[in-house]
Amino acid sequence: MMSTLSLFDEPADDQVPTMRELPMYDSQRREIRELFAALGLTTAPEQFAVVEELISVRLRAVTDLNREDARRLLSRLQSRVQTSRRASTGDSWADRDEDTWIDKL
């Protein structure tokens, strides 16, 4: 007979996943550090606040960041760096990234 677990039941010891999250790569750490520098974020509290804002992960230490979270963070930091390099006129039409069909005529 197959046993079923309720969503809130504690799993048996043999059902608990043993694979722990993999730590980020050194290359990811270097790239994150470079992107923070490009954004002028030099202190840990500033950096941790941006991590929480961008990927909703609250860090206590850099080693808390796993590979998947680091990948998501890198993508969002790269976007933020690209956006910060563009001059904003305050006019969303003038600041748009892509041509409209009118521009292509």
Side-chain angles (χ1 to χ4, degrees):
M1 184 163 124
M2 189 171 22
S3 69
T4 59
L5 287 176
S6 167
L7 187 60
F8 296 99
D9 287 345
E10 288 291 328
D13 288 336
D14 61 341
Q15 295 174 332
V16 175
T18 57
M19 187 174 122
R20 68 180 199 73
E21 295 179 345
L22 299 169
M24 73 176 135
Y25 293 109
D26 289 337
S27 59
Q28 289 176 312
R29 184 186 306 254
R30 273 191 307 277
E31 190 172 353
I32 289 169
R33 193 178 305 127
E34 290 168 4
L35 292 168
F36 279 143
L39 291 169
L41 301 170
T42 58
T43 67
E46 290 174 319
Q47 295 168 352
F48 285 5
V50 169
V51 169
E52 187 172 1
E53 176 187 339
L54 294 179
I55 63 170
S56 301
V57 172
R58 181 172 287 171
L59 300 177
R60 288 173 285 144
V62 174
T63 55
D64 291 346
L65 201 60
N66 64 42
R67 286 181 190 170
E68 181 61 24
D69 289 339
R71 184 191 61 76
R72 290 185 311 128
L73 178 61
L74 281 166
S75 172
R76 294 188 176 137
L77 281 173
Q78 289 163 347
S79 290
R80 186 164 281 194
V81 167
Q82 289 172 352
T83 303
S84 71
R85 291 182 179 156
R86 276 185 276 170
S88 176
T89 65
D91 178 359
S92 61
W93 180 258
D95 292 342
R96 69 190 185 283
D97 293 329
E98 300 170 359
D99 287 341
T100 66
W101 64 273
I102 295 171
D103 297 321
K104 293 176 184 177
L105 287 177

XYZ file of all heavy atoms in Angstrom:
851
model
N 0.837 -1.176 0.000
C 0.000 0.000 0.000
C 0.884 1.241 0.000
O 1.859 1.321 0.720
C -0.894 -0.036 1.246
C -1.863 1.096 1.296
S -3.155 0.696 2.462
C -3.050 2.073 3.527
N 0.549 2.181 -0.800
C 1.346 3.393 -0.919
C 0.910 4.385 0.151
O -0.274 4.613 0.363
C 1.149 4.010 -2.311
C 2.092 5.125 -2.556
S 2.170 5.799 -4.244
C 0.669 5.388 -5.037
N 1.898 4.958 0.853
C 1.564 5.955 1.861
C 1.551 7.331 1.223
O 2.312 7.607 0.313
C 2.565 5.907 3.012
O 3.807 6.368 2.569
N 0.692 8.164 1.692
C 0.632 9.531 1.191
C 0.911 10.476 2.341
O 0.482 10.255 3.464
C -0.750 9.852 0.581
O -1.734 9.667 1.571
C -1.026 8.985 -0.618
N 1.640 11.515 2.034
C 1.961 12.527 3.037
C 1.113 13.755 2.788
O 0.921 14.169 1.646
C 3.434 12.938 2.955
C 4.460 11.952 3.457
C 5.858 12.496 3.205
C 4.275 11.686 4.930
N 0.644 14.301 3.848
C -0.019 15.587 3.742
C 1.049 16.622 3.432
O 2.239 16.424 3.716
C -0.707 15.921 5.067
O -1.085 17.273 5.086
N 0.649 17.713 2.875
C 1.579 18.768 2.525
C 2.379 19.249 3.723
O 3.539 19.616 3.607
C 0.813 19.938 1.898
C 1.617 21.073 1.320
C 2.515 20.559 0.196
C 0.706 22.146 0.782
N 1.776 19.199 4.906
C 2.426 19.735 6.094
C 3.012 18.661 7.014
O 3.524 18.964 8.068
C 1.448 20.619 6.871
C 1.039 21.820 6.080
C -0.164 21.839 5.402
C 1.876 22.909 5.976
C -0.531 22.936 4.649
C 1.511 24.020 5.235
C 0.311 24.028 4.558
N 2.924 17.406 6.630
C 3.527 16.340 7.432
C 5.039 16.384 7.303
O 5.563 16.748 6.247
C 3.044 14.963 6.970
C 1.613 14.681 7.368
O 1.073 15.399 8.235
O 1.046 13.732 6.816
N 5.724 15.997 8.347
C 7.181 15.904 8.311
C 7.559 14.662 7.511
O 7.039 13.580 7.758
C 7.753 15.787 9.727
C 7.671 17.051 10.523
C 8.603 18.125 10.001
O 9.672 17.802 9.485
O 8.231 19.298 10.090
N 8.448 14.785 6.534
C 8.856 13.608 5.770
C 9.721 12.690 6.629
O 10.395 13.139 7.556
C 9.665 14.200 4.611
C 10.115 15.526 5.102
C 9.091 16.000 6.086
N 9.692 11.422 6.309
C 10.552 10.466 7.000
C 12.000 10.757 6.641
O 12.292 11.384 5.610
C 10.179 9.046 6.577
N 12.921 10.297 7.487
C 14.344 10.570 7.260
C 14.826 10.106 5.889
O 15.671 10.735 5.278
C 15.197 9.910 8.346
C 15.053 10.630 9.678
O 14.696 11.828 9.672
O 15.317 9.994 10.716
N 14.275 8.999 5.400
C 14.726 8.492 4.087
C 14.114 9.280 2.927
O 14.488 9.070 1.776
C 14.410 7.003 3.952
C 12.925 6.721 4.049
O 12.175 7.565 4.562
O 12.527 5.636 3.616
N 13.206 10.200 3.206
C 12.589 11.011 2.160
C 13.129 12.435 2.120
O 12.756 13.208 1.261
C 11.079 11.052 2.350
C 10.414 9.708 2.181
C 8.941 9.771 2.510
O 8.511 10.599 3.308
N 8.168 8.905 1.901
N 14.004 12.773 3.036
C 14.568 14.120 3.075
C 15.665 14.222 2.023
O 16.551 13.366 1.974
C 15.145 14.440 4.476
C 15.831 15.794 4.481
C 14.051 14.393 5.516
N 15.604 15.209 1.157
C 16.662 15.339 0.150
C 18.019 15.554 0.809
O 18.141 16.331 1.751
C 16.265 16.570 -0.666
C 14.980 17.055 -0.121
C 14.627 16.256 1.082
N 19.029 14.861 0.310
C 20.356 14.972 0.909
C 21.252 15.933 0.137
O 22.292 16.332 0.629
C 21.045 13.600 0.965
O 21.096 13.076 -0.360
C 20.299 12.658 1.886
N 20.848 16.275 -1.072
C 21.690 17.171 -1.862
C 21.581 18.590 -1.310
O 20.506 19.158 -1.236
C 21.235 17.148 -3.315
C 22.134 17.911 -4.235
S 21.600 17.676 -5.928
C 21.308 19.364 -6.370
N 22.699 19.156 -0.917
C 22.661 20.526 -0.414
C 22.916 21.476 -1.567
O 23.414 21.083 -2.613
C 23.661 20.732 0.712
C 25.112 20.676 0.315
C 25.977 20.892 1.566
N 27.316 21.281 1.289
C 27.729 22.472 0.859
N 26.877 23.404 0.610
N 28.987 22.735 0.659
N 22.533 22.702 -1.387
C 22.719 23.687 -2.443
C 24.199 23.899 -2.696
O 24.999 23.977 -1.767
C 22.047 24.997 -2.050
C 20.553 24.868 -1.934
C 19.902 26.172 -1.530
O 20.589 27.092 -1.068
O 18.687 26.259 -1.681
N 24.535 24.005 -3.951
C 25.930 24.181 -4.332
C 26.354 25.637 -4.178
O 25.630 26.538 -4.587
C 26.132 23.728 -5.777
C 25.809 22.261 -6.046
C 25.794 21.992 -7.540
C 26.803 21.369 -5.342
N 27.525 25.874 -3.600
C 27.994 27.264 -3.450
C 28.314 27.874 -4.816
O 28.565 27.160 -5.783
C 29.255 27.129 -2.598
C 29.714 25.728 -2.803
C 28.487 24.912 -3.094
N 28.292 29.184 -4.865
C 28.570 29.851 -6.142
C 30.015 29.591 -6.564
O 30.889 29.309 -5.753
C 28.281 31.345 -6.050
C 29.268 32.144 -5.258
S 28.871 33.895 -5.344
C 29.075 34.323 -3.637
N 30.239 29.702 -7.858
C 31.576 29.545 -8.428
C 32.418 30.771 -8.081
O 31.887 31.869 -7.889
C 31.512 29.430 -9.955
C 30.853 28.179 -10.468
C 29.603 28.246 -11.077
C 31.476 26.947 -10.361
C 28.989 27.114 -11.572
C 30.875 25.799 -10.849
C 29.633 25.892 -11.460
O 29.028 24.762 -11.945
N 33.733 30.598 -8.058
C 34.634 31.736 -7.846
C 34.470 32.766 -8.955
O 34.542 33.967 -8.711
C 36.091 31.266 -7.778
C 36.400 30.502 -6.501
O 35.667 30.692 -5.501
O 37.371 29.730 -6.500
N 34.229 32.293 -10.175
C 34.037 33.221 -11.299
C 32.779 34.066 -11.097
O 32.758 35.249 -11.443
C 33.958 32.457 -12.622
O 32.886 31.537 -12.600
N 31.731 33.472 -10.525
C 30.519 34.240 -10.236
C 30.806 35.296 -9.178
O 30.366 36.439 -9.305
C 29.404 33.315 -9.736
C 28.813 32.422 -10.792
C 27.800 31.464 -10.227
O 28.047 30.808 -9.213
N 26.643 31.358 -10.881
N 31.552 34.916 -8.157
C 31.897 35.861 -7.089
C 32.684 37.042 -7.654
O 32.417 38.197 -7.326
C 32.710 35.150 -6.005
C 33.028 36.040 -4.806
C 33.944 35.336 -3.827
N 33.430 34.054 -3.425
C 32.903 33.792 -2.239
N 32.852 34.730 -1.318
N 32.444 32.602 -1.950
N 33.651 36.758 -8.526
C 34.453 37.841 -9.137
C 33.575 38.775 -9.959
O 33.691 39.994 -9.870
C 35.554 37.255 -10.020
C 36.833 36.930 -9.303
C 37.969 36.611 -10.274
N 37.628 35.578 -11.246
C 37.703 34.268 -11.022
N 38.118 33.832 -9.853
N 37.388 33.399 -11.960
N 32.704 38.196 -10.767
C 31.855 39.024 -11.622
C 30.879 39.863 -10.802
O 30.643 41.033 -11.107
C 31.100 38.152 -12.622
C 30.409 38.971 -13.687
C 29.812 38.126 -14.799
O 30.031 36.900 -14.831
O 29.108 38.719 -15.630
N 30.321 39.292 -9.745
C 29.428 40.044 -8.867
C 30.180 41.204 -8.235
O 29.685 42.329 -8.185
C 28.816 39.120 -7.790
C 27.813 38.171 -8.430
C 28.165 39.927 -6.676
C 27.343 37.047 -7.539
N 31.405 40.944 -7.789
C 32.229 41.995 -7.179
C 32.480 43.130 -8.181
O 32.382 44.311 -7.838
C 33.561 41.388 -6.717
C 34.357 42.288 -5.803
C 35.652 41.640 -5.330
N 35.427 40.350 -4.696
C 36.042 39.218 -5.035
N 36.931 39.200 -5.991
N 35.780 38.097 -4.400
N 32.772 42.778 -9.435
C 33.019 43.789 -10.473
C 31.763 44.610 -10.759
O 31.836 45.833 -10.933
C 33.502 43.111 -11.756
C 34.895 42.524 -11.650
C 35.257 41.618 -12.816
O 34.442 41.499 -13.776
O 36.341 41.016 -12.770
N 30.614 43.952 -10.794
C 29.367 44.670 -11.061
C 29.001 45.599 -9.906
O 28.525 46.716 -10.134
C 28.236 43.678 -11.356
C 28.381 42.916 -12.678
C 27.399 41.763 -12.740
C 28.199 43.854 -13.862
N 29.220 45.149 -8.672
C 28.992 46.030 -7.525
C 29.895 47.257 -7.618
O 29.466 48.373 -7.347
C 29.227 45.307 -6.203
C 28.068 44.465 -5.738
C 28.299 43.257 -5.102
C 26.758 44.880 -5.899
C 27.240 42.474 -4.646
C 25.690 44.108 -5.451
C 25.937 42.903 -4.828
N 31.152 47.051 -8.002
C 32.084 48.171 -8.137
C 31.599 49.141 -9.219
O 31.660 50.360 -9.039
C 33.485 47.666 -8.454
N 31.104 48.611 -10.328
C 30.599 49.458 -11.410
C 29.401 50.295 -10.949
O 29.187 51.401 -11.434
C 30.208 48.606 -12.613
N 28.647 49.760 -9.994
C 27.491 50.482 -9.463
C 27.851 51.373 -8.279
O 27.000 52.076 -7.741
C 26.399 49.486 -9.036
C 25.713 48.735 -10.171
C 24.867 47.598 -9.630
C 24.880 49.684 -11.013
N 29.123 51.313 -7.842
C 29.564 52.130 -6.722
C 29.121 51.595 -5.375
O 29.071 52.336 -4.394
N 28.796 50.313 -5.309
C 28.368 49.682 -4.055
C 29.584 49.010 -3.431
O 30.003 47.948 -3.866
C 27.264 48.658 -4.320
C 26.009 49.218 -4.992
C 25.089 48.105 -5.441
C 25.293 50.157 -4.048
N 30.136 49.640 -2.400
C 31.407 49.166 -1.854
C 31.301 48.506 -0.493
O 32.205 47.790 -0.089
C 32.403 50.338 -1.749
O 31.824 51.356 -0.931
C 32.723 50.904 -3.122
N 30.203 48.725 0.224
C 30.096 48.143 1.563
C 29.165 46.931 1.545
O 28.228 46.857 0.732
C 29.559 49.162 2.583
O 28.206 49.483 2.259
C 30.424 50.416 2.610
N 29.418 46.011 2.456
C 28.595 44.801 2.547
C 27.119 45.114 2.791
O 26.258 44.527 2.129
C 29.148 43.864 3.608
N 26.783 46.039 3.702
C 25.351 46.339 3.900
C 24.665 46.833 2.621
O 23.531 46.435 2.329
C 25.348 47.415 4.985
C 26.611 47.192 5.745
C 27.603 46.729 4.715
N 25.349 47.668 1.850
C 24.779 48.143 0.577
C 24.574 46.975 -0.381
O 23.532 46.857 -1.022
C 25.724 49.145 -0.102
C 25.874 50.475 0.546
C 26.944 51.316 -0.139
O 28.020 50.788 -0.519
O 26.690 52.516 -0.305
N 25.586 46.149 -0.486
C 25.534 45.021 -1.409
C 24.450 44.023 -1.001
O 23.684 43.554 -1.839
C 26.900 44.348 -1.485
C 27.962 45.244 -2.084
C 29.372 44.709 -1.914
O 29.608 43.729 -1.213
N 30.324 45.363 -2.573
N 24.368 43.705 0.302
C 23.363 42.770 0.770
C 21.962 43.318 0.538
O 21.039 42.569 0.217
C 23.575 42.446 2.248
C 24.740 41.521 2.525
C 25.605 41.102 1.524
C 24.973 41.068 3.804
C 26.667 40.244 1.790
C 26.032 40.206 4.077
C 26.874 39.797 3.069
N 21.779 44.625 0.699
C 20.469 45.244 0.455
C 20.074 45.111 -1.018
O 18.912 44.832 -1.331
C 20.493 46.705 0.881
N 21.033 45.284 -1.918
C 20.743 45.160 -3.348
C 20.432 43.707 -3.698
O 19.528 43.433 -4.491
C 21.907 45.715 -4.200
C 21.754 45.351 -5.660
C 21.987 47.225 -4.041
N 21.145 42.770 -3.100
C 20.858 41.348 -3.329
C 19.417 41.045 -2.927
O 18.659 40.426 -3.681
C 21.845 40.441 -2.550
C 21.380 38.989 -2.574
C 23.248 40.565 -3.114
N 19.025 41.524 -1.756
C 17.659 41.277 -1.290
C 16.640 41.943 -2.208
O 15.601 41.356 -2.526
C 17.491 41.774 0.141
C 16.154 41.398 0.727
C 16.041 41.718 2.212
O 16.992 42.247 2.810
O 14.960 41.437 2.758
N 16.939 43.143 -2.665
C 16.025 43.861 -3.554
C 15.874 43.141 -4.898
O 14.774 43.013 -5.419
C 16.561 45.279 -3.793
C 15.757 46.088 -4.772
C 16.416 47.421 -5.093
O 17.246 47.910 -4.310
O 16.101 47.959 -6.162
N 16.976 42.659 -5.457
C 16.949 42.080 -6.797
C 16.472 40.638 -6.854
O 15.793 40.252 -7.806
C 18.336 42.174 -7.446
C 18.846 43.588 -7.745
C 20.226 43.534 -8.353
C 17.883 44.331 -8.657
N 16.844 39.816 -5.859
C 16.475 38.398 -5.946
C 15.737 37.889 -4.704
O 15.508 36.689 -4.570
C 17.693 37.501 -6.250
C 18.732 37.554 -5.130
C 18.292 37.839 -7.592
C 19.829 36.510 -5.256
N 15.387 38.788 -3.804
C 14.611 38.443 -2.600
C 15.285 37.383 -1.735
O 14.624 36.491 -1.206
C 13.205 37.971 -2.984
O 12.542 38.971 -3.699
N 16.602 37.484 -1.616
C 17.360 36.583 -0.751
C 18.087 37.439 0.271
O 18.856 38.327 -0.093
C 18.379 35.742 -1.558
C 19.290 34.959 -0.632
C 17.659 34.811 -2.517
N 17.822 37.190 1.555
C 18.488 37.931 2.625
C 19.745 37.157 3.018
O 19.668 36.016 3.446
C 17.572 38.090 3.826
C 18.241 38.885 4.947
C 17.283 39.203 6.036
N 16.388 40.243 5.525
C 15.310 40.653 6.146
N 14.952 40.105 7.276
N 14.561 41.606 5.641
N 20.885 37.799 2.849
C 22.167 37.166 3.156
C 22.672 37.582 4.523
O 22.513 38.721 4.933
C 23.219 37.566 2.117
C 22.959 37.201 0.660
C 24.064 37.751 -0.222
C 22.833 35.709 0.495
N 23.285 36.641 5.211
C 24.020 36.949 6.446
C 25.518 36.966 6.144
O 26.282 37.619 6.818
C 23.711 35.926 7.527
C 22.305 36.067 8.089
C 21.967 34.950 9.015
N 21.722 33.780 8.154
C 22.053 32.543 8.454
N 22.608 32.260 9.590
N 21.815 31.561 7.623
N 25.894 36.211 5.116
C 27.292 36.128 4.687
C 27.302 35.849 3.195
O 26.332 35.307 2.646
C 28.009 35.006 5.434
N 28.381 36.214 2.542
C 28.514 35.992 1.102
C 28.385 34.508 0.777
O 27.821 34.133 -0.254
C 29.866 36.540 0.598
C 30.090 36.193 -0.858
C 29.921 38.046 0.801
N 28.847 33.662 1.667
C 28.797 32.222 1.422
C 27.375 31.665 1.427
O 27.161 30.519 1.036
C 29.635 31.471 2.477
O 29.183 31.847 3.780
C 31.109 31.799 2.332
N 26.382 32.465 1.831
C 24.985 32.035 1.780
C 24.447 31.993 0.348
O 23.407 31.398 0.103
C 24.085 32.975 2.592
C 24.316 32.878 4.087
O 24.972 31.918 4.532
O 23.848 33.782 4.797
N 25.129 32.629 -0.584
C 24.656 32.714 -1.964
C 25.030 31.441 -2.716
O 26.200 31.105 -2.839
C 25.274 33.946 -2.638
C 24.574 34.490 -3.871
C 23.145 34.909 -3.561
C 25.343 35.670 -4.422
N 24.034 30.728 -3.235
C 24.315 29.507 -3.987
C 24.429 29.815 -5.480
O 24.230 30.950 -5.911
C 23.253 28.437 -3.704
C 21.871 28.844 -4.177
O 21.698 29.396 -5.252
N 20.868 28.565 -3.368
N 24.761 28.808 -6.268
C 25.007 29.005 -7.707
C 23.800 29.555 -8.443
O 23.930 30.452 -9.280
C 25.429 27.693 -8.358
C 26.813 27.297 -8.011
C 27.206 26.017 -8.687
N 28.479 25.572 -8.110
C 29.022 24.406 -8.331
N 28.421 23.546 -9.124
N 30.162 24.092 -7.772
N 22.634 29.013 -8.158
C 21.434 29.457 -8.866
C 21.085 30.899 -8.505
O 20.766 31.704 -9.379
C 20.258 28.527 -8.541
C 18.977 28.892 -9.249
C 19.079 28.830 -10.766
O 19.930 28.104 -11.300
O 18.304 29.562 -11.416
N 21.162 31.242 -7.230
C 20.901 32.622 -6.815
C 21.949 33.569 -7.404
O 21.617 34.683 -7.814
C 20.886 32.746 -5.292
C 19.662 32.100 -4.666
O 18.655 31.907 -5.375
O 19.716 31.785 -3.460
N 23.194 33.132 -7.455
C 24.260 33.959 -8.032
C 24.002 34.201 -9.513
O 24.198 35.312 -10.015
C 25.618 33.300 -7.822
N 23.528 33.176 -10.211
C 23.214 33.327 -11.641
C 22.108 34.356 -11.836
O 22.208 35.249 -12.683
C 22.787 31.972 -12.221
C 22.544 32.008 -13.722
C 21.881 30.735 -14.222
N 20.581 30.492 -13.622
C 19.459 31.146 -13.943
N 19.489 32.103 -14.843
N 18.320 30.868 -13.352
N 21.051 34.274 -11.018
C 19.955 35.249 -11.119
C 20.436 36.650 -10.760
O 20.082 37.631 -11.416
C 18.795 34.857 -10.211
C 18.051 33.629 -10.679
C 16.812 33.298 -9.858
N 17.067 33.304 -8.428
C 16.328 33.996 -7.554
N 15.322 34.713 -7.936
N 16.616 33.942 -6.264
N 21.274 36.744 -9.726
C 21.798 38.041 -9.304
C 22.653 38.657 -10.396
O 22.540 39.854 -10.683
C 22.606 37.892 -8.012
C 23.259 39.166 -7.484
C 22.203 40.226 -7.154
C 24.115 38.851 -6.261
N 23.504 37.861 -11.022
C 24.362 38.375 -12.091
C 23.533 38.964 -13.226
O 23.836 40.053 -13.720
C 25.274 37.267 -12.630
C 26.486 36.971 -11.784
C 27.134 35.662 -12.202
C 27.473 38.112 -11.861
N 22.507 38.265 -13.625
C 21.657 38.749 -14.705
C 21.036 40.103 -14.358
O 21.051 41.044 -15.164
C 20.559 37.721 -14.979
O 19.616 38.222 -15.875
N 20.541 40.216 -13.153
C 19.872 41.463 -12.746
C 20.869 42.596 -12.491
O 20.571 43.753 -12.772
C 18.994 41.196 -11.548
C 17.857 40.264 -11.970
C 16.814 40.063 -10.978
N 15.766 39.238 -11.572
C 15.183 38.250 -10.951
N 15.512 37.965 -9.711
N 14.249 37.543 -11.540
N 22.048 42.255 -11.978
C 23.077 43.289 -11.791
C 23.559 43.818 -13.137
O 23.780 45.019 -13.297
C 24.266 42.740 -10.997
C 24.104 42.636 -9.492
C 25.311 41.923 -8.881
C 23.913 43.995 -8.857
N 23.722 42.920 -14.112
C 24.146 43.355 -15.447
C 23.135 44.315 -16.047
O 23.505 45.337 -16.634
C 24.353 42.140 -16.353
C 25.562 41.329 -15.986
C 25.563 39.936 -16.594
O 24.555 39.460 -17.109
N 26.706 39.267 -16.519
N 21.857 44.014 -15.878
C 20.806 44.921 -16.367
C 20.881 46.267 -15.672
O 20.746 47.319 -16.307
C 19.421 44.322 -16.132
O 19.205 43.237 -16.964
N 21.105 46.238 -14.379
C 21.177 47.491 -13.619
C 22.377 48.321 -14.058
O 22.283 49.540 -14.179
C 21.235 47.209 -12.130
C 21.174 48.489 -11.321
C 20.860 48.270 -9.901
N 19.433 48.055 -9.724
C 18.837 48.093 -8.554
N 19.525 48.320 -7.467
N 17.542 47.889 -8.449
N 23.506 47.683 -14.317
C 24.695 48.403 -14.773
C 24.428 49.029 -16.136
O 24.742 50.195 -16.370
C 25.932 47.477 -14.813
C 27.076 48.112 -15.584
C 26.377 47.127 -13.398
N 23.816 48.271 -17.048
C 23.505 48.807 -18.377
C 22.549 49.987 -18.282
O 22.728 50.996 -18.961
C 22.901 47.722 -19.263
C 23.888 46.674 -19.678
C 23.224 45.515 -20.398
O 22.000 45.423 -20.468
N 24.037 44.621 -20.923
N 21.556 49.873 -17.437
C 20.584 50.949 -17.259
C 21.236 52.184 -16.645
O 20.923 53.308 -17.024
C 19.415 50.480 -16.367
O 18.828 49.342 -16.967
C 18.377 51.559 -16.200
N 22.158 51.973 -15.719
C 22.788 53.113 -15.043
C 23.705 53.895 -15.974
O 23.979 55.065 -15.725
C 23.574 52.641 -13.821
O 24.736 51.937 -14.204
N 24.157 53.274 -17.034
C 25.068 53.955 -17.982
C 24.332 54.829 -18.976
O 24.926 55.662 -19.631
C 25.901 52.916 -18.737
C 26.900 52.235 -17.843
C 27.730 51.253 -18.596
N 28.690 50.630 -17.706
C 29.236 49.454 -17.913
N 28.931 48.766 -18.985
N 30.092 48.958 -17.051
N 23.026 54.608 -19.114
C 22.241 55.405 -20.050
C 21.815 56.708 -19.411
O 21.427 56.736 -18.246
C 20.978 54.649 -20.466
C 21.225 53.689 -21.587
C 19.943 53.097 -22.012
N 19.720 51.979 -21.099
C 18.621 51.300 -21.004
N 17.586 51.611 -21.714
N 18.502 50.298 -20.171
N 21.863 57.751 -20.171
C 21.383 59.047 -19.683
C 19.867 59.060 -19.767
O 19.289 58.667 -20.766
C 21.959 60.170 -20.528
N 19.239 59.475 -18.716
C 17.788 59.548 -18.686
C 17.354 60.990 -18.883
O 17.839 61.895 -18.214
C 17.269 59.033 -17.344
O 15.879 59.198 -17.275
N 16.421 61.162 -19.814
C 15.911 62.512 -20.067
C 14.686 62.803 -19.219
O 14.230 63.938 -19.163
C 15.519 62.667 -21.550
O 14.423 61.790 -21.827
C 16.689 62.378 -22.467
N 14.121 61.758 -18.610
C 12.882 61.932 -17.858
C 11.659 61.746 -18.736
O 10.538 61.770 -18.269
N 11.873 61.542 -20.018
C 10.796 61.327 -20.976
C 10.825 59.863 -21.393
O 11.744 59.428 -22.082
C 11.007 62.240 -22.187
C 9.960 62.052 -23.271
O 9.063 61.203 -23.119
O 10.058 62.757 -24.295
N 9.831 59.086 -20.973
C 9.848 57.653 -21.251
C 9.811 57.352 -22.748
O 10.354 56.359 -23.197
C 8.697 56.947 -20.535
O 7.463 57.458 -20.982
N 9.197 58.223 -23.548
C 9.172 58.009 -25.000
C 10.575 58.190 -25.574
O 11.050 57.361 -26.341
C 8.192 58.981 -25.652
C 8.125 58.807 -27.143
C 8.718 59.588 -28.078
C 7.458 57.772 -27.851
N 8.462 59.113 -29.336
C 7.682 57.991 -29.225
C 6.697 56.682 -27.469
C 7.169 57.157 -30.210
C 6.180 55.858 -28.461
C 6.416 56.102 -29.809
N 11.248 59.221 -25.177
C 12.596 59.478 -25.678
C 13.609 58.466 -25.137
O 14.589 58.153 -25.808
C 13.036 60.893 -25.316
N 13.372 57.944 -23.948
C 14.303 57.007 -23.315
C 14.051 55.545 -23.683
O 14.743 54.664 -23.182
C 14.234 57.137 -21.787
C 14.775 58.458 -21.299
O 15.503 59.130 -22.045
O 14.456 58.826 -20.146
N 13.089 55.277 -24.558
C 12.775 53.878 -24.882
C 13.982 53.191 -25.517
O 14.821 53.824 -26.155
C 11.555 53.801 -25.784
C 11.773 54.333 -27.186
C 10.449 54.438 -27.940
N 10.655 54.843 -29.305
C 10.927 56.077 -29.701
N 11.011 57.036 -28.813
N 11.114 56.348 -30.972
N 14.054 51.884 -25.338
C 15.196 51.104 -25.818
C 15.064 50.676 -27.272
O 16.056 50.541 -27.979
C 15.370 49.836 -24.971
C 15.785 50.155 -23.562
O 16.474 51.159 -23.358
O 15.411 49.381 -22.663
N 13.859 50.430 -27.705
C 13.655 49.863 -29.032
C 12.900 50.836 -29.926
O 12.114 51.653 -29.464
C 12.861 48.565 -28.918
C 13.565 47.526 -28.067
C 12.655 46.342 -27.773
O 11.487 46.341 -28.200
O 13.128 45.426 -27.097
N 13.137 50.700 -31.225
C 12.398 51.506 -32.188
C 10.960 51.014 -32.269
O 10.682 49.816 -32.148
C 13.026 51.394 -33.580
C 14.336 52.146 -33.689
O 14.591 53.023 -32.848
O 15.109 51.850 -34.615
N 10.050 51.922 -32.489
C 8.659 51.560 -32.714
C 8.452 51.379 -34.214
O 9.342 51.683 -35.021
C 7.712 52.661 -32.209
O 7.915 53.827 -33.010
C 7.948 52.949 -30.740
N 7.283 50.949 -34.599
C 7.010 50.778 -36.012
C 7.067 52.116 -36.740
O 7.442 52.183 -37.908
C 5.667 50.092 -36.238
C 4.471 50.879 -35.762
C 3.941 50.884 -34.524
C 3.706 51.792 -36.535
N 2.884 51.750 -34.457
C 2.691 52.321 -35.698
C 3.740 52.229 -37.853
C 1.757 53.234 -36.121
C 2.796 53.138 -38.282
C 1.813 53.640 -37.431
N 6.773 53.201 -36.031
C 6.858 54.533 -36.636
C 8.311 54.870 -36.949
O 8.625 55.412 -38.010
C 6.232 55.601 -35.711
C 4.733 55.342 -35.552
C 6.500 56.999 -36.216
C 4.061 56.195 -34.514
N 9.216 54.561 -36.008
C 10.642 54.821 -36.231
C 11.183 54.036 -37.414
O 12.104 54.477 -38.096
C 11.451 54.463 -34.991
C 11.090 55.305 -33.773
O 10.858 56.507 -33.953
O 11.033 54.729 -32.681
N 10.620 52.875 -37.656
C 11.136 51.999 -38.713
C 10.642 52.397 -40.107
O 11.140 51.886 -41.100
C 10.726 50.550 -38.429
C 11.425 50.013 -37.188
C 10.944 48.626 -36.867
C 11.575 48.137 -35.581
N 11.107 46.824 -35.184
N 9.657 53.306 -40.180
C 9.152 53.751 -41.486
C 10.172 54.530 -42.261
O 10.977 55.215 -41.844
C 7.895 54.581 -41.314
C 6.649 53.810 -40.929
C 5.483 54.784 -40.725
C 6.280 52.801 -41.992
